[in-house]
Amino acid sequence: MFTINFKKPIHVYFIGIGGISMSGLAQILLSRGFQVSGSDMKESALTRQLASRGARLHYGQQLSHLDDTVELVVYTAAIHEDNPEFQDACTRRLPMLSRAELLGQLMKNYELPIAVSGTHGKTTTTSMISEVLLASETDPTLTIGGILPSIGGNIRIGHSPYFVTEACEYTNSFLHFFPKISIILNIEEDHMDFFQNLEEIQHSFHQFASLLPKEGTLIINGAIPNLSAITEALSCKVLRYGFTPDCDYFASEIACDASGQPCFTLNRKGRESLKVRLGVYGLHNVSNSLAVLALSDLLELPMENTLKALSSFKGTDRRFEYKGKLGGITIMDDYAHHPTEIRATLEAARALSPKRIWCIFQPHTYTRTKAFLTEFAQALSLADFVVLTDIYAARETNTLGISSLDLKREIEKLGKSCFYFPTFDEVENFLLQNSINGDLLITMGAGDIVKVGENLLGI
């Protein structure tokens, strides 16, 4: 594998530079004096930001984009071997790194790299950690899988030992990392186009935990099934969090205030208990915050700063995000694309006490829809009405013969009203005609479903 000398900047070309993680890495290299260029399929706010900072960008992907000055090519897992730029780099035998390999090498430049993993909640938890570190003026470097309003984007370049990143299990990407502290939020079946079964996913997370050095620490959800399979034979310190007294950090006396936001008592072994109030919704965020509170203690940050940061944190873009109101109808958006995430989001929505909940869901990938068809139907049935769009293909082609109509039939078997429309225009017109004052409309999915709510609001 090619090893970057970060003291000797070179010209790096990114295939897929507009991705949320790739754009952040490109910004870090720019800040270190590297020449950066790259391509993406279309212009976006992230690519415009890169261009303003000196990156040379191309839209569309062609052989001619890689000029003779390129010394390293970085690509994402979404790039296939038939990509013309990927093929050109191979033909010219240019050094190549995956996004995860570059991120792993970058982590070695920091004394305290922190990696946040799990099937769900990575972006929200990483954002919570970011706010806590900023509140204690630690000057961290942050790379987040979403837009965090307080830093005006997905990346913050600091000058301290702290480096925080999300760690995704897809294609075993996180096995290229070099963390000193790792967090595992949860482990469930997902990415079944890569993993064969849950046991293989658990093995991957065990390998990830095993990357920690002896002086490192694993912070892990104590409710993960078969937890010992993840923690066995680890040489590092292990801290467990959850909702039961056998955990090192556990929540009790959980309640919601008048606005639906949770508050609870934090119990810590060997330390005084504390009252915690969150600025985000849902029991799943209580769990996420416990990991953050354990990390805060581990780093010996002032707890008053941590508690203040958690109470003022209102979430990141596309994570239970309030978009606006239209004629007394509240419109929100969420990135949820797995049954567990959908269930958690709809339970949080119910805490707001709307008259009726409309969930406008865009399934994400054919393999995920096929694998969790029954589970999707059960989770979506928590809404009063479900509106489905076509499956967002992402990196896939439909070789499974699955469609949103299959999911519609499963939902209707549960006695729930479900509607399907092939275009966003039809969805928007239907919602305008059928939603009423006091309803909550929540667009949901990892694709471009957010446009429905934004079009309704005219933003």
Side-chain angles (χ1 to χ4, degrees):
M1 183 194 303
F2 180 82
T3 301
I4 300 175
N5 183 346
F6 287 92
K7 295 181 180 179
K8 294 183 178 180
I10 58 175
H11 182 182
V12 181
Y13 188 93
F14 288 79
I15 307 176
I17 197 168
I20 194 77
S21 179
M22 289 279 274
S23 62
L25 293 174
Q27 284 198 48
I28 293 175
L29 291 189
L30 283 168
S31 74
R32 288 173 171 261
F34 283 70
Q35 182 182 349
V36 170
S37 60
S39 63
D40 211 276
M41 297 310 296
K42 60 183 179 179
E43 186 180 13
S44 68
L46 293 175
T47 61
R48 287 191 291 271
Q49 187 177 54
L50 285 169
S52 71
R53 297 186 179 183
R56 185 160 51 89
L57 303 184
H58 305 279
Y59 297 104
Q61 292 168 341
Q62 303 174 16
L63 294 176
S64 60
H65 291 165
L66 275 76
D67 64 33
D68 292 337
T69 67
V70 173
E71 297 166 89
L72 171 67
V73 173
V74 179
Y75 59 94
T76 70
I79 298 300
H80 299 296
E81 292 184 1
D82 60 355
N83 178 283
E85 294 179 354
F86 187 94
Q87 288 184 332
D88 187 32
C90 291
T91 300
R92 291 163 55 183
R93 296 185 178 180
L94 289 171
M96 301 178 73
L97 292 175
S98 68
R99 177 204 64 85
E101 289 169 339
L102 171 59
L103 180 51
Q105 291 194 26
L106 190 61
M107 292 174 81
K108 289 183 175 181
N109 287 265
Y110 295 85
E111 293 176 25
L112 199 56
I114 301 165
V116 182
S117 73
T119 312
H120 326 292
K122 292 185 290 294
T123 297
T124 296
T125 306
T126 303
S127 298
M128 284 182 176
I129 293 168
S130 300
E131 297 289 10
V132 165
L133 290 173
L134 291 170
S136 290
E137 300 181 348
T138 60
D139 192 22
T141 295
L142 311 168
T143 172
I144 304 169
I147 304 301
L148 182 61
S150 63
I151 63 173
N154 63 314
I155 187 76
R156 181 189 188 275
I157 299 169
H159 302 88
S160 76
Y162 295 98
F163 179 91
V164 185
T165 186
E166 295 181 32
C168 182
E169 74 275 16
Y170 184 57
T171 69
N172 285 326
S173 292
F174 60 6
L175 300 186
H176 296 289
F177 291 3
F178 297 90
K180 293 287 180 62
I181 300 172
S182 291
I183 294 173
I184 299 179
L185 300 168
N186 37 62
I187 301 174
E188 292 189 38
E189 287 182 314
D190 198 10
H191 302 301
M192 303 314 289
D193 57 327
F194 178 76
F195 295 109
Q196 294 185 22
N197 49 46
L198 181 58
E199 289 72 24
E200 191 173 315
I201 297 172
Q202 289 173 327
H203 177 66
S204 181
F205 274 94
H206 173 64
Q207 289 180 292
F208 171 67
S210 299
L211 297 174
L212 289 164
K214 185 177 181 180
E215 66 275 14
T217 302
L218 174 66
I219 299 172
I220 188 167
N221 186 341
I224 291 174
N226 197 17
L227 187 68
S228 61
I230 310 302
T231 60
E232 65 182 359
L234 295 183
S235 60
C236 65
K237 181 180 181 179
V238 177
L239 293 174
R240 294 180 303 146
Y241 70 89
F243 298 101
T244 55
D246 59 322
C247 293
D248 300 289
Y249 290 78
F250 70 95
S252 63
E253 300 174 306
I254 303 168
C256 291
D257 62 18
S259 66
Q261 293 168 321
C263 50
F264 60 93
T265 297
L266 170 67
N267 304 277
R268 308 177 289 171
K269 287 187 177 179
R271 295 173 184 252
E272 64 177 334
S273 61
L274 297 168
K275 292 293 184 182
V276 182
R277 183 176 297 275
L278 301 183
V280 289
Y281 299 89
L283 188 62
H284 61 297
N285 276 321
V286 174
S287 180
N288 292 336
S289 72
L290 290 171
V292 179
L293 289 158
L295 176 67
S296 177
D297 267 355
L298 180 66
L299 299 178
E300 299 181 344
L301 300 177
M303 188 52 72
E304 60 269 25
N305 293 346
T306 297
L307 295 176
K308 184 177 180 180
L310 289 175
S311 67
S312 60
F313 172 65
K314 300 302 180 184
T316 54
D317 287 5
R318 300 224 59 208
R319 271 69 179 180
F320 205 60
E321 180 187 5
Y322 173 81
K323 302 295 288 187
K325 278 203 171 186
L326 179 68
I329 301 163
T330 300
I331 298 178
M332 302 188 74
D333 177 66
D334 196 88
Y335 192 71
H337 55 283
H338 183 282
T340 300
E341 297 166 348
I342 293 168
R343 183 176 294 278
T345 300
L346 291 176
E347 287 174 348
R350 189 64 68 185
L352 299 178
S353 301
K355 184 172 290 184
R356 304 180 302 180
I357 296 175
W358 293 80
C359 181
I360 302 92
F361 181 59
Q362 181 185 47
H364 188 260
T365 75
Y366 303 108
T367 52
R368 185 180 282 115
T369 306
K370 178 79 170 180
F372 301 115
L373 193 65
T374 301
E375 292 85 352
F376 274 128
Q378 292 169 344
L380 288 165
S381 68
L382 294 178
D384 296 296
F385 303 100
V386 181
V387 179
L388 299 177
T389 70
D390 283 328
I391 296 170
Y392 189 84
R395 54 189 173 266
E396 296 182 347
T397 55
N398 190 6
T399 61
L400 301 173
I402 190 78
S403 78
S404 292
L405 291 175
D406 296 300
L407 179 54
K408 181 177 184 291
R409 284 189 285 270
E410 289 294 318
I411 293 170
E412 289 173 338
K413 286 180 186 177
L414 299 173
K416 186 65 58 173
S417 297
C418 184
F419 309 88
Y420 159 76
F421 300 98
T423 69
F424 285 1
D425 281 346
E426 291 171 283
V427 171
E428 292 157 19
N429 288 332
F430 176 80
L431 292 171
L432 286 172
Q433 293 169 13
N434 291 279
S435 53
I436 60 176
N437 183 33
D439 282 358
L440 170 64
L441 274 58
I442 182 162
T443 54
M444 193 177 292
D448 57 353
I449 191 64
V450 62
K451 293 178 182 177
V452 168
E454 292 177 344
N455 289 342
L456 288 171
L457 292 166
I459 58 177

Coordinates of all heavy atoms in Angstrom, one line a residue, residues 75 141 377 416 459:
Y75 N -10.2 6.9 -4.1 CA -11.5 6.5 -4.6 C -12.4 6.0 -3.5 O -11.9 5.5 -2.5 CB -11.4 5.4 -5.7 CG -10.8 4.2 -5.3 CD1 -11.5 3.1 -4.8 CD2 -9.4 4.0 -5.2 CE1 -11.0 1.9 -4.4 CE2 -8.8 2.9 -4.8 CZ -9.6 1.8 -4.4 OH -9.0 0.6 -3.9
T141 N -10.1 18.2 15.4 CA -10.4 18.0 14.0 C -11.5 17.1 13.9 O -11.5 16.0 14.5 CB -9.1 17.5 13.3 OG1 -8.1 18.5 13.3 CG2 -9.5 17.2 11.8
A377 N -42.1 -3.1 6.9 CA -43.5 -2.9 7.0 C -43.9 -2.7 8.5 O -44.7 -1.8 8.8 CB -44.2 -4.1 6.4
K416 N -52.6 -1.2 7.7 CA -52.2 0.2 7.6 C -52.5 0.8 6.3 O -52.2 0.2 5.2 CB -50.7 0.3 8.0 CG -50.2 1.8 8.1 CD -50.8 2.5 9.3 CE -50.6 1.8 10.6 NZ -51.1 2.6 11.8
I459 N -38.6 25.8 -0.5 CA -37.3 26.2 0.0 C -36.2 25.4 -0.9 O -36.5 24.5 -1.6 CB -37.0 25.9 1.5 CG1 -37.2 24.4 1.8 CG2 -37.9 26.8 2.3 CD1 -36.9 24.1 3.2

